[in-house]
């Protein structure tokens, strides 16, 4: 059994985690609230973005082949959410799934490249959605 943190900004295709997660693993799903404009972000008007992020987290948790022990929504950019999740949960592995290209929100742009393949000895799998 491994503790795996999944950081994602969008719902994942069904079975997307199957290659990375064993049914005996323990998942922690972290979703940054990235569905907001620059003005909303500056004004800390993130209520709607947090609600959408909660829906994404619940969808990922529901579709995962392993049980989810925690769901978290964060106002941070994805790269910071990864660092915070590693510090807080001490996972065995991290999976980061972010939208790329034209599908990405302004808070996601370039974030996948900001996340290294290993952080503090924890392997990180990066997936562009």
């Amino acid at each position: 059994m491994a503790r795996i943190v999944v950081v994602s900004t969008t719902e994942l295709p069904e079975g997307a985690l199957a290659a990375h997660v064993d049914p005996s693993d323990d998942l922690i799903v972290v979703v940054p609230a990235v569905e907001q404009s620059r003005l909303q972000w500056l004004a800390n008007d993130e209520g709607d973005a947090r609600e959408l992020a909660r829906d994404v987290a619940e969808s990922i948790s529901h579709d995962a082949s392993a049980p989810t022990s925690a769901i978290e929504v964060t106002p941070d950019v994805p790269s910071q959410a990864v660092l915070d999740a590693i510090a807080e949960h001490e996972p065995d592995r991290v999976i980061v799934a972010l939208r790329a290209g034209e599908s990405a929100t302004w808070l996601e742009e370039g974030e996948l490249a900001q996340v290294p393949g290993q952080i503090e000895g924890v392997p990180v799998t990066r997936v562009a959605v």
Side-chain angles (χ1 to χ4, degrees), residues 34-68:
V34 298
E35 294 289 340
Q36 54 187 310
S37 69
R38 284 179 168 86
L39 181 59
Q40 289 170 317
W41 185 76
L42 287 170
N44 290 326
D45 181 14
E46 59 193 41
D48 290 342
R50 281 183 168 272
E51 188 174 319
L52 288 170
R54 171 75 52 192
D55 291 344
V56 167
E58 289 175 359
S59 173
I60 291 169
S61 176
H62 180 267
D63 292 342
S65 60
T68 302

mmCIF file of all heavy atoms in Angstrom, residues 34-68:
data_model
loop_
_atom_site.group_PDB
_atom_site.id
_atom_site.type_symbol
_atom_site.label_atom_id
_atom_site.label_comp_id
_atom_site.label_asym_id
_atom_site.label_seq_id
_atom_site.Cartn_x
_atom_site.Cartn_y
_atom_site.Cartn_z
ATOM 1 N N VAL A 34 -8.411 26.865 -9.940
ATOM 2 C CA VAL A 34 -7.820 27.650 -11.031
ATOM 3 C C VAL A 34 -8.848 28.254 -11.985
ATOM 4 O O VAL A 34 -8.477 29.009 -12.875
ATOM 5 C CB VAL A 34 -6.821 26.791 -11.851
ATOM 6 C CG1 VAL A 34 -5.663 26.336 -10.982
ATOM 7 C CG2 VAL A 34 -7.516 25.617 -12.508
ATOM 8 N N GLU A 35 -10.105 27.949 -11.790
ATOM 9 C CA GLU A 35 -11.149 28.455 -12.699
ATOM 10 C C GLU A 35 -11.610 29.841 -12.263
ATOM 11 O O GLU A 35 -12.743 30.035 -11.831
ATOM 12 C CB GLU A 35 -12.334 27.485 -12.726
ATOM 13 C CG GLU A 35 -12.033 26.144 -13.323
ATOM 14 C CD GLU A 35 -11.815 26.189 -14.826
ATOM 15 O OE1 GLU A 35 -12.259 27.160 -15.488
ATOM 16 O OE2 GLU A 35 -11.195 25.250 -15.342
ATOM 17 N N GLN A 36 -10.703 30.814 -12.369
ATOM 18 C CA GLN A 36 -11.032 32.184 -11.994
ATOM 19 C C GLN A 36 -10.227 33.165 -12.838
ATOM 20 O O GLN A 36 -9.134 32.854 -13.295
ATOM 21 C CB GLN A 36 -10.794 32.415 -10.503
ATOM 22 C CG GLN A 36 -9.409 32.058 -10.016
ATOM 23 C CD GLN A 36 -9.303 32.147 -8.512
ATOM 24 O OE1 GLN A 36 -9.689 33.154 -7.927
ATOM 25 N NE2 GLN A 36 -8.776 31.115 -7.886
ATOM 26 N N SER A 37 -10.807 34.325 -13.003
ATOM 27 C CA SER A 37 -10.131 35.371 -13.778
ATOM 28 C C SER A 37 -9.045 36.020 -12.918
ATOM 29 O O SER A 37 -8.996 35.832 -11.702
ATOM 30 C CB SER A 37 -11.143 36.439 -14.208
ATOM 31 O OG SER A 37 -11.587 37.169 -13.082
ATOM 32 N N ARG A 38 -8.227 36.811 -13.555
ATOM 33 C CA ARG A 38 -7.184 37.535 -12.808
ATOM 34 C C ARG A 38 -7.811 38.490 -11.780
ATOM 35 O O ARG A 38 -7.326 38.619 -10.660
ATOM 36 C CB ARG A 38 -6.276 38.297 -13.773
ATOM 37 C CG ARG A 38 -5.302 37.409 -14.498
ATOM 38 C CD ARG A 38 -4.430 38.213 -15.473
ATOM 39 N NE ARG A 38 -3.324 37.448 -15.970
ATOM 40 C CZ ARG A 38 -3.381 36.639 -17.027
ATOM 41 N NH1 ARG A 38 -4.516 36.493 -17.692
ATOM 42 N NH2 ARG A 38 -2.309 35.978 -17.414
ATOM 43 N N LEU A 39 -8.904 39.140 -12.176
ATOM 44 C CA LEU A 39 -9.585 40.062 -11.272
ATOM 45 C C LEU A 39 -10.158 39.312 -10.063
ATOM 46 O O LEU A 39 -10.013 39.762 -8.924
ATOM 47 C CB LEU A 39 -10.688 40.826 -12.004
ATOM 48 C CG LEU A 39 -11.463 41.840 -11.169
ATOM 49 C CD1 LEU A 39 -10.531 42.893 -10.589
ATOM 50 C CD2 LEU A 39 -12.548 42.491 -12.004
ATOM 51 N N GLN A 40 -10.785 38.175 -10.307
ATOM 52 C CA GLN A 40 -11.308 37.368 -9.192
ATOM 53 C C GLN A 40 -10.171 36.933 -8.268
ATOM 54 O O GLN A 40 -10.312 36.967 -7.050
ATOM 55 C CB GLN A 40 -12.049 36.140 -9.721
ATOM 56 C CG GLN A 40 -13.371 36.460 -10.373
ATOM 57 C CD GLN A 40 -13.943 35.265 -11.096
ATOM 58 O OE1 GLN A 40 -13.232 34.541 -11.783
ATOM 59 N NE2 GLN A 40 -15.250 35.057 -10.936
ATOM 60 N N TRP A 41 -9.060 36.537 -8.860
ATOM 61 C CA TRP A 41 -7.912 36.088 -8.073
ATOM 62 C C TRP A 41 -7.372 37.228 -7.210
ATOM 63 O O TRP A 41 -7.106 37.049 -6.030
ATOM 64 C CB TRP A 41 -6.841 35.540 -9.016
ATOM 65 C CG TRP A 41 -5.664 34.953 -8.335
ATOM 66 C CD1 TRP A 41 -5.577 33.746 -7.710
ATOM 67 C CD2 TRP A 41 -4.378 35.563 -8.210
ATOM 68 N NE1 TRP A 41 -4.312 33.561 -7.206
ATOM 69 C CE2 TRP A 41 -3.553 34.664 -7.506
ATOM 70 C CE3 TRP A 41 -3.837 36.771 -8.631
ATOM 71 C CZ2 TRP A 41 -2.231 34.944 -7.206
ATOM 72 C CZ3 TRP A 41 -2.517 37.045 -8.334
ATOM 73 C CH2 TRP A 41 -1.732 36.130 -7.627
ATOM 74 N N LEU A 42 -7.217 38.422 -7.813
ATOM 75 C CA LEU A 42 -6.710 39.575 -7.074
ATOM 76 C C LEU A 42 -7.654 40.002 -5.948
ATOM 77 O O LEU A 42 -7.210 40.460 -4.894
ATOM 78 C CB LEU A 42 -6.473 40.750 -8.018
ATOM 79 C CG LEU A 42 -5.269 40.629 -8.942
ATOM 80 C CD1 LEU A 42 -5.281 41.726 -9.985
ATOM 81 C CD2 LEU A 42 -3.980 40.660 -8.132
ATOM 82 N N ALA A 43 -8.959 39.845 -6.171
ATOM 83 C CA ALA A 43 -9.961 40.250 -5.185
ATOM 84 C C ALA A 43 -10.294 39.132 -4.195
ATOM 85 O O ALA A 43 -11.173 39.302 -3.346
ATOM 86 C CB ALA A 43 -11.229 40.701 -5.901
ATOM 87 N N ASN A 44 -9.581 38.016 -4.306
ATOM 88 C CA ASN A 44 -9.876 36.841 -3.464
ATOM 89 C C ASN A 44 -11.334 36.408 -3.571
ATOM 90 O O ASN A 44 -11.929 35.939 -2.617
ATOM 91 C CB ASN A 44 -9.510 37.102 -1.997
ATOM 92 C CG ASN A 44 -8.031 37.188 -1.789
ATOM 93 O OD1 ASN A 44 -7.261 36.513 -2.458
ATOM 94 N ND2 ASN A 44 -7.624 38.032 -0.869
ATOM 95 N N ASP A 45 -11.897 36.584 -4.759
ATOM 96 C CA ASP A 45 -13.269 36.173 -5.035
ATOM 97 C C ASP A 45 -13.214 34.780 -5.657
ATOM 98 O O ASP A 45 -13.413 34.596 -6.850
ATOM 99 C CB ASP A 45 -13.923 37.169 -6.000
ATOM 100 C CG ASP A 45 -15.361 36.817 -6.322
ATOM 101 O OD1 ASP A 45 -15.936 35.973 -5.619
ATOM 102 O OD2 ASP A 45 -15.899 37.390 -7.293
ATOM 103 N N GLU A 46 -12.911 33.793 -4.826
ATOM 104 C CA GLU A 46 -12.656 32.453 -5.328
ATOM 105 C C GLU A 46 -13.738 31.447 -4.982
ATOM 106 O O GLU A 46 -13.555 30.245 -5.153
ATOM 107 C CB GLU A 46 -11.300 31.966 -4.809
ATOM 108 C CG GLU A 46 -11.244 31.934 -3.307
ATOM 109 C CD GLU A 46 -9.850 31.773 -2.762
ATOM 110 O OE1 GLU A 46 -8.920 32.397 -3.291
ATOM 111 O OE2 GLU A 46 -9.708 31.025 -1.800
ATOM 112 N N GLY A 47 -14.878 31.918 -4.503
ATOM 113 C CA GLY A 47 -15.957 31.020 -4.086
ATOM 114 C C GLY A 47 -16.406 30.075 -5.183
ATOM 115 O O GLY A 47 -16.509 28.856 -4.969
ATOM 116 N N ASP A 48 -16.694 30.610 -6.374
ATOM 117 C CA ASP A 48 -17.140 29.766 -7.482
ATOM 118 C C ASP A 48 -16.033 28.812 -7.924
ATOM 119 O O ASP A 48 -16.287 27.646 -8.223
ATOM 120 C CB ASP A 48 -17.588 30.613 -8.676
ATOM 121 C CG ASP A 48 -18.889 31.366 -8.402
ATOM 122 O OD1 ASP A 48 -19.612 30.981 -7.461
ATOM 123 O OD2 ASP A 48 -19.160 32.343 -9.123
ATOM 124 N N ALA A 49 -14.792 29.306 -7.952
ATOM 125 C CA ALA A 49 -13.664 28.460 -8.352
ATOM 126 C C ALA A 49 -13.460 27.321 -7.360
ATOM 127 O O ALA A 49 -13.168 26.187 -7.742
ATOM 128 C CB ALA A 49 -12.394 29.301 -8.468
ATOM 129 N N ARG A 50 -13.637 27.592 -6.079
ATOM 130 C CA ARG A 50 -13.505 26.550 -5.060
ATOM 131 C C ARG A 50 -14.609 25.500 -5.205
ATOM 132 O O ARG A 50 -14.365 24.309 -5.034
ATOM 133 C CB ARG A 50 -13.543 27.148 -3.654
ATOM 134 C CG ARG A 50 -12.234 27.770 -3.241
ATOM 135 C CD ARG A 50 -12.333 28.292 -1.796
ATOM 136 N NE ARG A 50 -11.035 28.634 -1.292
ATOM 137 C CZ ARG A 50 -10.209 27.787 -0.681
ATOM 138 N NH1 ARG A 50 -10.556 26.538 -0.519
ATOM 139 N NH2 ARG A 50 -9.043 28.202 -0.245
ATOM 140 N N GLU A 51 -15.801 25.952 -5.517
ATOM 141 C CA GLU A 51 -16.923 25.019 -5.712
ATOM 142 C C GLU A 51 -16.660 24.096 -6.904
ATOM 143 O O GLU A 51 -16.870 22.882 -6.820
ATOM 144 C CB GLU A 51 -18.222 25.802 -5.913
ATOM 145 C CG GLU A 51 -19.455 24.929 -5.937
ATOM 146 C CD GLU A 51 -20.716 25.758 -5.997
ATOM 147 O OE1 GLU A 51 -20.797 26.791 -5.310
ATOM 148 O OE2 GLU A 51 -21.622 25.357 -6.752
ATOM 149 N N LEU A 52 -16.185 24.665 -7.995
ATOM 150 C CA LEU A 52 -15.841 23.844 -9.166
ATOM 151 C C LEU A 52 -14.697 22.879 -8.839
ATOM 152 O O LEU A 52 -14.720 21.715 -9.254
ATOM 153 C CB LEU A 52 -15.448 24.736 -10.344
ATOM 154 C CG LEU A 52 -16.579 25.498 -11.022
ATOM 155 C CD1 LEU A 52 -16.024 26.516 -12.005
ATOM 156 C CD2 LEU A 52 -17.512 24.544 -11.727
ATOM 157 N N ALA A 53 -13.718 23.353 -8.093
ATOM 158 C CA ALA A 53 -12.593 22.496 -7.708
ATOM 159 C C ALA A 53 -13.074 21.347 -6.823
ATOM 160 O O ALA A 53 -12.609 20.211 -6.962
ATOM 161 C CB ALA A 53 -11.528 23.317 -6.992
ATOM 162 N N ARG A 54 -13.995 21.613 -5.928
ATOM 163 C CA ARG A 54 -14.555 20.553 -5.068
ATOM 164 C C ARG A 54 -15.242 19.496 -5.933
ATOM 165 O O ARG A 54 -15.085 18.299 -5.699
ATOM 166 C CB ARG A 54 -15.529 21.165 -4.061
ATOM 167 C CG ARG A 54 -16.346 20.190 -3.262
ATOM 168 C CD ARG A 54 -15.665 19.456 -2.172
ATOM 169 N NE ARG A 54 -14.960 20.307 -1.250
ATOM 170 C CZ ARG A 54 -14.115 19.851 -0.356
ATOM 171 N NH1 ARG A 54 -13.873 18.564 -0.273
ATOM 172 N NH2 ARG A 54 -13.489 20.648 0.456
ATOM 173 N N ASP A 55 -15.991 19.934 -6.951
ATOM 174 C CA ASP A 55 -16.652 18.984 -7.867
ATOM 175 C C ASP A 55 -15.626 18.128 -8.601
ATOM 176 O O ASP A 55 -15.811 16.923 -8.764
ATOM 177 C CB ASP A 55 -17.527 19.732 -8.879
ATOM 178 C CG ASP A 55 -18.750 20.374 -8.252
ATOM 179 O OD1 ASP A 55 -19.105 20.015 -7.101
ATOM 180 O OD2 ASP A 55 -19.348 21.260 -8.897
ATOM 181 N N VAL A 56 -14.532 18.744 -9.045
ATOM 182 C CA VAL A 56 -13.460 18.009 -9.726
ATOM 183 C C VAL A 56 -12.852 16.981 -8.775
ATOM 184 O O VAL A 56 -12.649 15.819 -9.140
ATOM 185 C CB VAL A 56 -12.370 18.977 -10.261
ATOM 186 C CG1 VAL A 56 -11.120 18.218 -10.682
ATOM 187 C CG2 VAL A 56 -12.916 19.798 -11.419
ATOM 188 N N ALA A 57 -12.577 17.385 -7.552
ATOM 189 C CA ALA A 57 -11.978 16.472 -6.570
ATOM 190 C C ALA A 57 -12.892 15.282 -6.294
ATOM 191 O O ALA A 57 -12.434 14.133 -6.225
ATOM 192 C CB ALA A 57 -11.684 17.221 -5.278
ATOM 193 N N GLU A 58 -14.166 15.528 -6.149
ATOM 194 C CA GLU A 58 -15.107 14.441 -5.884
ATOM 195 C C GLU A 58 -15.211 13.502 -7.078
ATOM 196 O O GLU A 58 -15.321 12.282 -6.912
ATOM 197 C CB GLU A 58 -16.469 15.009 -5.491
ATOM 198 C CG GLU A 58 -16.428 15.636 -4.104
ATOM 199 C CD GLU A 58 -17.717 16.334 -3.708
ATOM 200 O OE1 GLU A 58 -18.678 16.360 -4.508
ATOM 201 O OE2 GLU A 58 -17.743 16.879 -2.585
ATOM 202 N N SER A 59 -15.147 14.046 -8.286
ATOM 203 C CA SER A 59 -15.173 13.221 -9.491
ATOM 204 C C SER A 59 -13.941 12.320 -9.556
ATOM 205 O O SER A 59 -14.048 11.122 -9.848
ATOM 206 C CB SER A 59 -15.248 14.108 -10.735
ATOM 207 O OG SER A 59 -15.108 13.341 -11.905
ATOM 208 N N ILE A 60 -12.779 12.880 -9.302
ATOM 209 C CA ILE A 60 -11.539 12.091 -9.323
ATOM 210 C C ILE A 60 -11.603 11.001 -8.260
ATOM 211 O O ILE A 60 -11.265 9.846 -8.512
ATOM 212 C CB ILE A 60 -10.312 13.005 -9.116
ATOM 213 C CG1 ILE A 60 -10.124 13.908 -10.332
ATOM 214 C CG2 ILE A 60 -9.052 12.176 -8.854
ATOM 215 C CD1 ILE A 60 -9.123 15.022 -10.134
ATOM 216 N N SER A 61 -12.051 11.365 -7.080
ATOM 217 C CA SER A 61 -12.166 10.401 -5.989
ATOM 218 C C SER A 61 -13.126 9.273 -6.353
ATOM 219 O O SER A 61 -12.841 8.099 -6.114
ATOM 220 C CB SER A 61 -12.650 11.112 -4.719
ATOM 221 O OG SER A 61 -12.845 10.187 -3.690
ATOM 222 N N HIS A 62 -14.242 9.613 -6.941
ATOM 223 C CA HIS A 62 -15.252 8.621 -7.318
ATOM 224 C C HIS A 62 -14.734 7.664 -8.382
ATOM 225 O O HIS A 62 -15.008 6.463 -8.350
ATOM 226 C CB HIS A 62 -16.514 9.338 -7.811
ATOM 227 C CG HIS A 62 -17.603 8.411 -8.209
ATOM 228 N ND1 HIS A 62 -17.769 7.987 -9.507
ATOM 229 C CD2 HIS A 62 -18.556 7.799 -7.464
ATOM 230 C CE1 HIS A 62 -18.790 7.156 -9.553
ATOM 231 N NE2 HIS A 62 -19.288 7.022 -8.340
ATOM 232 N N ASP A 63 -13.983 8.185 -9.347
ATOM 233 C CA ASP A 63 -13.502 7.370 -10.467
ATOM 234 C C ASP A 63 -12.225 6.585 -10.153
ATOM 235 O O ASP A 63 -11.849 5.699 -10.913
ATOM 236 C CB ASP A 63 -13.243 8.254 -11.695
ATOM 237 C CG ASP A 63 -14.529 8.815 -12.280
ATOM 238 O OD1 ASP A 63 -15.617 8.286 -11.978
ATOM 239 O OD2 ASP A 63 -14.448 9.797 -13.043
ATOM 240 N N ALA A 64 -11.553 6.914 -9.062
ATOM 241 C CA ALA A 64 -10.289 6.244 -8.734
ATOM 242 C C ALA A 64 -10.535 4.798 -8.310
ATOM 243 O O ALA A 64 -11.569 4.464 -7.747
ATOM 244 C CB ALA A 64 -9.582 7.006 -7.616
ATOM 245 N N SER A 65 -9.545 3.959 -8.594
ATOM 246 C CA SER A 65 -9.666 2.548 -8.236
ATOM 247 C C SER A 65 -9.233 2.287 -6.792
ATOM 248 O O SER A 65 -9.339 1.174 -6.312
ATOM 249 C CB SER A 65 -8.800 1.707 -9.183
ATOM 250 O OG SER A 65 -7.449 2.105 -9.079
ATOM 251 N N ALA A 66 -8.764 3.310 -6.103
ATOM 252 C CA ALA A 66 -8.310 3.176 -4.723
ATOM 253 C C ALA A 66 -9.129 4.112 -3.825
ATOM 254 O O ALA A 66 -9.670 5.111 -4.305
ATOM 255 C CB ALA A 66 -6.830 3.526 -4.618
ATOM 256 N N PRO A 67 -9.206 3.786 -2.547
ATOM 257 C CA PRO A 67 -9.962 4.654 -1.638
ATOM 258 C C PRO A 67 -9.271 6.005 -1.428
ATOM 259 O O PRO A 67 -8.047 6.094 -1.428
ATOM 260 C CB PRO A 67 -10.003 3.856 -0.336
ATOM 261 C CG PRO A 67 -8.859 2.915 -0.410
ATOM 262 C CD PRO A 67 -8.641 2.626 -1.867
ATOM 263 N N THR A 68 -10.084 7.037 -1.248
ATOM 264 C CA THR A 68 -9.580 8.385 -1.010
ATOM 265 C C THR A 68 -9.733 8.715 0.465
ATOM 266 O O THR A 68 -10.843 8.651 0.998
ATOM 267 C CB THR A 68 -10.365 9.411 -1.858
ATOM 268 O OG1 THR A 68 -10.240 9.058 -3.237
ATOM 269 C CG2 THR A 68 -9.858 10.818 -1.640
#
